[in-house]
Amino acid sequence: MIHELEQLQPAQLAAKFINLTSRHIFLTGKAGTGKTTFLRNLISLTHKKSVIVAPTGIAAINAAGVTIHSLFQLPFGTYLPKNSTADLATAHQHYNTPKSIIRHLSMNATKRRILLDMELLIIDEVSMLRADLLDAIDMVLRYVRKNNSASFGGVQVLFIGDLHQLPPVVKQNEWGLLSGFYKSIYFFDALALAESKPVYIELEKIYRQADEVFIDLLNNLRNNQITQRDLELLQQYYRADFKPNLSDNYITLTTHNQKAETLNRDSLSELSAKSYFYPAAVDKEFPETAFPAEKSLELKVGAQVMFVKNDPTGEQRFFNGKIAVVISLSDELIKVKAEGSDQIIVVEKYIWKNIRYNTNKVTNEIEEEVVGTFTQFPLKLAWAITVHKSQGLTFDKAIVDLGDAFAPGQIYVALSRLRTLKGLILTSQLSGRSIRQDPNVSYFARLKEQQENLGLQIKRESDAFLRNYILQSFDFSTLDNYVFEHVFSYKKDEKRSTKQKHLLWAIKLQQELMSLKVNADKFSRQIERLFFVDDETTKNLRLARTTAAENYFNPQIVKLSDSIFELIELVKTEKQTKEYLVELFEMEAMFYEQFKKMRKAKAMLTASLNGVELTKESLSGLFNETKRAEQIQKAYRMPNSEEFNPSTADSFRKVRASKKEKLPKVPKEDTKDVTLSLLKQGRTAEEIARERKMTLGTIEGHIAYFVAKQELDPKLFIPAKKLNAMLEAINQLKSIKLNDLRDHLGRGYSYSEIKIAVAAHLAEGH
């Protein structure tokens, strides 16, 4: 078996680690090696209950998951992993601790059920994940799952990303607090991973580049081994004043949003054709910070555009990042011709989905629920894009403008977007010092060389995983503890009188479960002894004993589950029992989960004995859901024919039924647009600030924004002489840093005036 494992590709090894072990995994790879493809295949095949999260809203939408903060109910800001007492010098800084997060943790029954049932947590775009945020995830999972002995409360974690791309963001004052706990801000230095290091697996085959010289250059960039020869190679592509024609199909990669937006806007304005505007359709819940395309797309015939999705038809007419030129427009139709092709593509609107996770009431499986959609043509103007937004894209020709590169990894990300060096134009000089990677990343990458043979690890870890899963499946401790706490929740006070009537039923349920637990504990000791030997006879005996145990215990578990359904029908006819019904539904779900685990344990042993892997498809055939579907449908139907929804009840606080009808939210008008409207009515900045109860600085910030967009004339707010002096200072210093300009110009110039001057400078196309 070990020899066979050694022949597997990295992606296949990663899949086996996920399906056959409980080890945490870091799956990485150079740009273009297929990390996203691996994720999609994994979700469709793995038998584990999985949830995908990402650090940002856009990353979560692209990964078809949810944000870390929303799933784990985490506040934004710095997290200190211990309830630290900061010194007076840092006391003014806000930070979160385990106590403060738990104190404000408010999870409904559905969300808590997801965290309890989850077996695999997938974190995408992990290069942006901070160590303190990962420790906050670990803390919440340990707390909710009541498992403080295992990292992440016993959940396996798959980290996906390329650490040589963009790093986590941490402010200097935040690092002042965090440096007392962490070696670096990267996820791999989280305390949660100190005793459970992830397996390091790298996808190595590059699908984007085929040029060996280019691949070697990118490898040296990643490994902090840039040579003089590499610098000389890059120098060959340096053209400081390169100005392409609009028809040359170059895209400029730059470091800041404002630069990219200005270049796209200016390039579009050079086209004399008529503008067409295509508004996106936003339905239900879809936050603006997660919009994956333009809210309002302005196009002209001749515009250079980029697809922001792969071709959903499967015909591969285009891919995410493919450059094209608009050849025909109407109010409802867009036709483009892709770079390197004569084929005319009629572009269709694409629907992006915003999801949240729920638990299926019948199957107890974690499911995706679409809570909102964003519909738009999957195009954006593509004369320029930021390096940050270019991650995952592929270009044939690009102008790389990285004179202002501010983060390790930006230069690698930019260069690795290209298929070949032939398509590269550098407009700024690169030095060996400016393109070095973060040494913390290089140090962590050495784990790959230091770790034990992956085949040996899978063999050992899979045996341990199988053993532990069988034992957990017949361990009734969690269920027993839950029922024990439930029995002691019956109180004789007046408010609990309705529930109190059913105390004898609860005691009987507890006694029957305790009797089952005694026998289950005996079986667990027997099965544990059978894992001391690993021959074929013993393996067959394990399966035989587990099958017998499942045949004995599950009918009795089903009987207890049926008794809960019977009580639900009785309680539904009584008043003021919503909170009690929530408890009964939760308890029944736990009994059913125990039933499923025992049946799955038998299936896992059978698969192992036959030398095959359990898949999502094979798992789905294990359970006959017909009877349960009828029970659930009946249980959730209230006497008034409405459906009971336990997920609306807050299980950490008392349930309060709301009588108020919720009206749909009216979309908020952009606050900057309100300022612009008032300015055009002749109001002064001071008048607007007073009327809107905002600071003058905020209103002046709005003015600077519209000056940069060339929608306001800066001379309406600053005398021409003063404005010219500030513009001269910007050109002289070759800087738009406010402090530099203020020091040069003197106290007679306010920061607000300088901001407007900088905006005017940018509007001139600098």
Side-chain angles (χ1 to χ4, degrees):
M1 177 183 177
I2 294 172
H3 177 71
E4 292 173 0
L5 290 170
E6 289 173 346
Q7 307 305 311
L8 296 177
Q9 296 298 315
Q12 294 170 310
L13 281 170
K16 284 194 177 293
F17 263 107
I18 290 162
N19 288 325
L20 300 176
T21 83
S22 57
R23 280 292 298 275
H24 304 318
I25 299 143
F26 171 52
L27 182 71
T28 187
K30 306 172 182 69
T33 51
K35 295 183 292 295
T36 302
T37 301
F38 173 85
L39 175 56
R40 296 269 62 83
N41 291 338
L42 173 69
I43 290 301
S44 65
L45 294 174
T46 184
H47 62 84
K48 294 185 176 179
K49 294 185 179 181
S50 309
V51 167
I52 303 171
V53 296
T56 67
I58 292 175
I61 294 293
N62 289 332
V66 298
T67 64
I68 289 170
H69 289 86
S70 67
L71 181 70
F72 296 101
Q73 306 265 291
L74 293 170
F76 288 96
T78 306
Y79 171 75
L80 302 186
K82 296 177 183 175
N83 295 307
S84 171
T85 52
D87 58 37
L88 292 176
T90 58
H92 65 282
Q93 293 188 47
H94 174 73
Y95 57 86
N96 304 301
T97 65
K99 280 185 179 178
S100 68
I101 289 178
I102 289 171
R103 187 166 60 247
H104 296 103
L105 200 61
S106 179
M107 284 190 181
N108 62 34
T110 300
K111 182 150 291 184
R112 195 164 83 253
R113 187 78 251 156
I114 290 166
L115 299 191
L116 286 169
D117 291 345
M118 181 168 57
E119 296 172 298
L120 175 66
L121 173 65
I122 301 166
I123 307 180
D124 198 23
E125 295 291 1
V126 76
S127 70
M128 296 186 283
L129 177 64
R130 283 174 33 162
D132 60 325
L133 182 55
L134 184 57
D135 277 337
I137 295 171
D138 173 63
M139 185 275 296
V140 170
L141 282 172
R142 288 176 189 245
Y143 175 76
V144 172
R145 293 167 68 91
K146 298 182 180 178
N147 181 354
N148 209 37
S149 60
S151 61
F152 304 100
V155 175
Q156 183 182 29
V157 185
L158 168 63
F159 303 96
I160 299 181
D162 184 358
L163 291 176
H164 295 275
Q165 298 197 13
L166 301 184
V169 176
V170 59
K171 297 174 184 173
Q172 190 171 356
N173 63 328
E174 291 178 313
W175 184 240
L177 284 173
L178 294 170
S179 59
F181 300 94
Y182 299 105
K183 295 176 184 176
S184 80
I185 198 58
Y186 289 95
F187 86 94
F188 50 75
D189 278 326
L191 304 185
L193 295 177
E195 300 300 325
S196 51
K197 299 288 185 190
V199 176
Y200 193 118
I201 299 178
E202 183 169 3
L203 303 178
E204 293 170 340
K205 182 177 179 181
I206 297 177
Y207 296 93
R208 186 174 288 134
Q209 293 94 15
D211 177 358
E212 289 299 327
V213 173
F214 191 19
I215 290 172
D216 288 344
L217 170 65
L218 292 174
N219 283 340
N220 289 346
L221 271 172
R222 285 171 62 87
N223 299 327
N224 264 352
Q225 295 174 344
I226 197 75
T227 65
Q228 186 59 36
R229 185 178 176 182
D230 293 326
L231 292 173
E232 291 169 0
L233 175 63
L234 288 172
Q235 185 66 26
Q236 296 175 26
Y237 299 93
Y238 172 59
R239 295 175 66 181
D241 300 316
F242 182 77
K243 298 289 182 187
N245 294 321
L246 291 182
S247 59
D248 284 346
N249 299 132
Y250 276 97
I251 185 166
T252 296
L253 298 181
T254 187
T255 50
H256 291 77
N257 270 319
Q258 202 165 35
K259 278 188 176 181
E261 288 172 4
T262 300
L263 187 56
N264 281 325
R265 185 187 65 241
D266 292 348
S267 299
L268 187 67
S269 67
E270 287 184 35
L271 298 175
S272 57
K274 172 187 173 183
S275 281
Y276 284 81
F277 294 87
Y278 302 93
V282 182
D283 185 43
K284 298 179 182 176
E285 297 177 38
F286 210 111
E288 190 163 354
T289 53
F291 283 179
E294 300 295 334
K295 185 177 181 181
S296 178
L297 177 64
E298 180 185 1
L299 294 178
K300 295 179 181 180
V301 170
Q304 180 168 300
V305 293
M306 178 177 71
F307 286 95
V308 295
K309 285 299 294 182
N310 295 334
D311 185 355
T313 67
E315 297 175 15
Q316 299 182 330
R317 298 169 300 164
F318 55 86
F319 53 82
N320 191 8
K322 182 70 174 176
I323 301 296
V325 174
V326 176
I327 61 169
S328 174
L329 292 172
S330 67
D331 290 339
E332 294 295 329
L333 191 67
I334 299 175
K335 293 182 180 180
V336 303
K337 187 181 287 186
E339 184 181 16
S341 172
D342 292 327
Q343 179 186 8
I344 295 174
I345 300 171
V346 178
V347 185
E348 297 176 352
K349 289 183 178 180
Y350 185 84
I351 300 174
W352 283 268
K353 297 174 182 177
N354 180 29
I355 69 151
R356 68 177 168 219
Y357 288 104
N358 270 325
T359 300
N360 184 292
K361 289 179 282 196
V362 175
T363 66
N364 251 34
E365 291 296 312
I366 296 172
E367 289 185 337
E368 297 176 1
E369 177 192 357
V370 177
V371 296
T373 59
F374 178 94
T375 305
Q376 178 59 290
F377 290 102
L379 296 172
K380 67 183 300 179
L381 294 177
W383 285 286
I385 191 173
T386 63
V387 176
H388 184 87
K389 290 180 181 175
S390 75
Q391 289 192 160
L393 304 181
T394 303
F395 307 122
D396 290 318
K397 296 193 289 188
I399 300 165
V400 177
D401 173 21
L402 293 179
D404 296 329
F406 58 85
Q410 279 199 324
I411 292 171
Y412 168 76
V413 173
L415 295 182
S416 63
R417 301 305 94 200
L418 281 154
R419 291 187 185 278
T420 69
L421 277 169
K422 292 178 183 177
L424 173 64
I425 298 291
L426 285 172
T427 58
S428 51
Q429 295 274 21
L430 301 179
S431 67
R433 184 176 180 183
S434 70
I435 58 181
R436 287 187 63 81
Q437 300 287 347
D438 191 313
N440 290 294
V441 173
S442 301
Y443 179 79
F444 177 65
R446 291 177 200 152
L447 277 180
K448 184 187 173 190
E449 282 69 42
Q450 296 169 357
Q451 66 188 359
E452 184 185 11
N453 176 278
L454 296 181
L456 286 171
Q457 288 193 61
I458 287 180
K459 176 66 177 73
R460 184 178 63 250
E461 298 280 348
S462 62
D463 290 344
F465 174 67
L466 184 60
R467 170 186 172 276
N468 291 336
Y469 192 89
I470 306 304
L471 293 174
Q472 287 173 15
S473 299
F474 292 90
D475 182 357
F476 291 1
S477 298
T478 302
L479 187 56
D480 183 58
N481 290 341
Y482 185 91
V483 174
F484 177 85
E485 291 174 2
H486 177 77
V487 169
F488 277 82
S489 70
Y490 289 76
K491 297 177 182 177
K492 293 184 178 180
D493 58 54
E494 188 176 341
K495 291 181 182 178
R496 297 262 182 172
S497 58
T498 305
K499 179 178 176 179
Q500 179 65 23
K501 292 190 302 186
H502 305 292
L503 173 60
L504 292 178
W505 171 89
I507 292 173
K508 183 173 181 290
L509 180 79
Q510 182 190 25
Q511 289 172 342
E512 292 183 16
L513 180 60
M514 287 171 63
S515 178
L516 275 181
K517 184 179 182 303
V518 170
N519 291 327
D521 291 345
K522 289 178 183 176
F523 167 75
S524 294
R525 289 192 290 271
Q526 292 173 12
I527 206 76
E528 194 163 11
R529 287 194 294 270
L530 289 175
F531 271 92
F532 291 146
V533 183
D534 201 33
D535 56 34
E536 287 301 310
T537 302
T538 309
K539 288 180 180 178
N540 281 297
L541 186 55
R542 286 178 206 159
L543 177 58
R545 294 296 302 127
T546 302
T547 301
E550 197 262 332
N551 289 339
Y552 171 77
F553 288 110
N554 261 344
Q556 299 189 65
I557 289 290
V558 170
K559 180 184 172 185
L560 296 178
S561 179
D562 288 344
S563 74
I564 300 174
F565 278 124
E566 289 168 7
L567 182 63
I568 286 172
E569 291 305 313
L570 178 60
V571 172
K572 281 180 353 185
T573 64
E574 300 169 340
K575 294 181 178 180
Q576 297 182 335
T577 56
K578 186 175 182 180
E579 188 176 359
Y580 185 33
L581 282 171
V582 170
E583 294 175 26
L584 294 176
F585 276 114
E586 282 194 11
M587 186 161 60
E588 193 285 325
M590 292 190 71
F591 273 90
Y592 185 62
E593 195 59 29
Q594 194 77 49
F595 168 89
K596 290 182 68 178
K597 282 181 179 177
M598 287 189 282
R599 186 148 289 183
K600 183 176 174 180
K602 183 176 72 173
M604 288 178 67
L605 277 172
T606 304
S608 176
L609 197 59
N610 294 331
V612 297
E613 286 184 39
L614 199 63
T615 64
K616 180 177 283 189
E617 185 179 1
S618 60
L619 191 63
S620 63
L622 293 179
F623 313 107
N624 181 0
E625 307 289 1
T626 306
K627 176 189 172 185
R628 180 170 170 77
E630 293 173 356
Q631 288 176 309
I632 288 290
Q633 189 177 18
K634 181 180 178 183
Y636 277 75
R637 193 184 307 116
M638 299 298 286
N640 59 4
S641 297
E642 292 182 359
E643 182 172 299
F644 178 72
N645 184 7
S647 66
T648 60
D650 188 334
S651 7
F652 282 165
R653 294 178 296 186
K654 188 172 180 180
V655 177
R656 293 178 176 87
S658 174
K659 304 275 185 180
K660 295 179 182 177
E661 182 182 352
K662 291 186 177 179
L663 298 174
K665 290 183 178 179
V666 178
K668 290 183 179 179
E669 189 174 5
D670 190 315
T671 186
K672 297 189 294 295
D673 291 339
V674 175
T675 298
L676 180 63
S677 176
L678 292 171
L679 287 167
K680 288 182 175 179
Q681 292 173 26
R683 309 280 184 87
T684 67
E686 290 80 5
E687 289 171 346
I688 296 170
R690 278 196 304 273
E691 183 179 329
R692 302 191 63 198
K693 295 184 173 64
M694 291 181 170
T695 66
L696 181 59
T698 298
I699 302 303
E700 287 169 337
H702 294 172
I703 292 170
Y705 172 84
F706 289 111
V707 166
K709 292 188 72 176
Q710 295 182 321
E711 293 184 37
L712 288 175
D713 185 348
K715 292 176 184 175
L716 293 173
F717 310 97
I718 305 174
K721 185 176 179 181
K722 230 178 179 184
L723 178 63
N724 290 334
M726 288 187 283
L727 291 173
E728 285 176 14
I730 292 169
N731 290 322
Q732 183 182 338
L733 296 176
K734 293 183 171 55
S735 171
I736 56 173
K737 292 181 178 178
L738 299 183
N739 285 334
D740 292 352
L741 292 168
R742 177 73 179 275
D743 291 342
H744 178 82
L745 291 162
R747 299 283 175 184
Y749 295 79
S750 71
Y751 280 107
S752 297
E753 289 173 329
I754 296 172
K755 284 179 182 177
I756 294 173
V758 168
H761 171 78
L762 294 171
E764 290 175 359
H766 295 281

